[in-house]
Amino acid sequence: MPIENFATASIDTLLAGLDAQRWRAIDLVEAALARIETLDKQGPTLRAVTYVFADEARAAAAASDERRRMGYSSGLLEGIPILVKDNMDVAGWPTTAGSYALIGLIAQQDAAVVRRLRHAGAVIVGKAAMHELAAGITGASSLTGFARNPHALNRSPGGSSSGAAVAVAAGYVPLAIGSDTAGSVRIPAAFNHLYGLRASRSALPLGGILPLSPTQDMPGPITRYAPDLERAFAALSGQPYPISKVGTDFSIGVLDAWFGDEQAASRDIAAIAYRALARFETLGVRCSPIEFHDLRDIVDSANVIAYEFASALTEDLAARPDSPVDSLKTIVEQGLHHEQMTTVLHDRAYHAGPDSPEYQQARARQDALREQIESAMADQGLDLLCYPTLRHPPAELGGIQGGSNAMLAPVTGMPAICLPSGLDSQGLPVGLELLARSGHEAILLAAAHAWAETSSGWSLPRAIQNQ
């Protein structure tokens, strides 16, 4: 049966309709498939989806409907259609990670997070497009081209979980699962006016996810609504739901040095971020400035992606007997990548790697930085740190993206959340990021709930509102 406002509905709303028999899981899947057909294959062609497996999704939805009919559907996501990023294994489906070089690689079993999603009752409709090999934040892919931002079709949607964020923003599905190594969940969440969560290091399993940097890789949910984010994280982590205690009993440290730079567009974003922060203050949240000397330089020097990428990918591909390539070097030498990726992939393929002393120094800086930040937060009685997810707006499609603040969480292993904070003077979304001490996702989720109480609701992006 038709589902009113499917493209903007929350997971809670959809679950309530399922429980009340106003619609079935198969109806939700058909709505998702129709939305994908309209916006990804026709219309504005957002290029958010790499693969759709309609028959399998329909079969899974029918099984979910039968479980609900029999009275033993208890999953947190029972009957909800979702997408997962194309670097995550789904048994029998391709795992191409946005790369032409990996065409023909078929997953033998589900990734660990995919198993958890199935256990929660989620219906996986397909796989979301992504920046090639997760090695960037603009959405460039030799497999699908550039994903497009539904707020402005000539702008980047961010990355590397580009398609995951676009799919949620454009109403394909209410939840998509991305992965975050340098901001790749939170950056596209920010650019698509969505919520995105990166969990603490080791909080979620990495098995069955094509690696970029095992130290910094982390799967994570992207949603339109704060409660949906909490529900998704509970399903992914196996924690009891609800996780957070809704309230405003937390305090925020403000990283003023990270709120902007000399660019006019950056000053615009900083102003929006400060106004967003003021909304917390109206709720009685204490917000205080906090400073760290040379923090950005330290964060950059603690990033280990370059050291781990080539060796981690080679090891992973060696365990996949049907992989058409054996290493990043092969991909580079055969030119099997998007032209924009030439320099970065060459540099990573011939990098010194994890056996170098510089790698051990970078890892040591990660530990030291986390200890420094968490100690300062404890000393000043702060639960969270706050700054814009990015200081610059989305780059033009095919351009270079600058202004990211998103690396702090991956290098420290601390959890972070992106909150949709408004639109800049060009009508482009701005994200506000909160960082918590390790293991304190509950505070982030509570802050997101409080934030949502001050929000006016959610609507489709302007470029596709008539679709």
Side-chain angles (χ1 to χ4, degrees), residues 348-416:
R348 300 296 186 261
Y350 294 94
H351 197 273
D355 294 328
S356 66
E358 291 80 10
Y359 172 68
Q360 297 302 326
Q361 293 167 7
R363 287 298 306 272
R365 280 192 286 270
Q366 290 194 351
D367 294 338
L369 182 58
R370 181 182 64 255
E371 292 173 5
Q372 177 191 2
I373 291 175
E374 294 195 346
S375 176
M377 292 173 68
D379 289 346
Q380 299 185 39
L382 299 172
D383 300 294
L384 303 167
L385 298 186
C386 175
Y387 43 88
T389 307
L390 298 102
R391 305 182 307 280
H392 297 174
E396 292 187 0
L397 210 61
I400 304 301
Q401 183 65 54
S404 174
N405 286 332
M407 188 64 79
L408 181 58
V411 301
T412 61
M414 298 165 68

Side-chain angles (χ1 to χ4, degrees), residues 95-103 105 132-135 142 210-211 309-310 313-314 317 323-339 341-342 344-346 348-350:
T95 301
T96 40
S99 175
Y100 175 84
L102 296 181
I103 292 177
L105 195 161
E132 188 156 350
L133 299 174
S142 60
L210 206 73
F309 182 17
L313 182 62
T314 297
L317 295 177
S323 177
V325 293
D326 61 358
S327 67
L328 185 58
K329 285 184 179 180
T330 298
I331 294 173
V332 170
E333 290 168 357
Q334 296 184 11
L336 302 173
H337 53 75
H338 191 281
E339 60 183 7
M341 302 293 293
T342 299
V344 66
L345 293 185
H346 182 277
R348 300 296 186 261
Y350 294 94

Side-chain angles (χ1 to χ4, degrees), residues 138 146-158 191 393-398 401 424 426 428 462:
T138 61
F146 286 95
R148 303 168 75 186
N149 191 320
H151 289 268
L153 299 179
N154 65 335
R155 296 281 184 154
S156 166
F191 282 172
E396 292 187 0
L397 210 61
Q401 183 65 54
D424 68 11
Q426 302 177 76
L428 300 171
R462 59 180 181 176

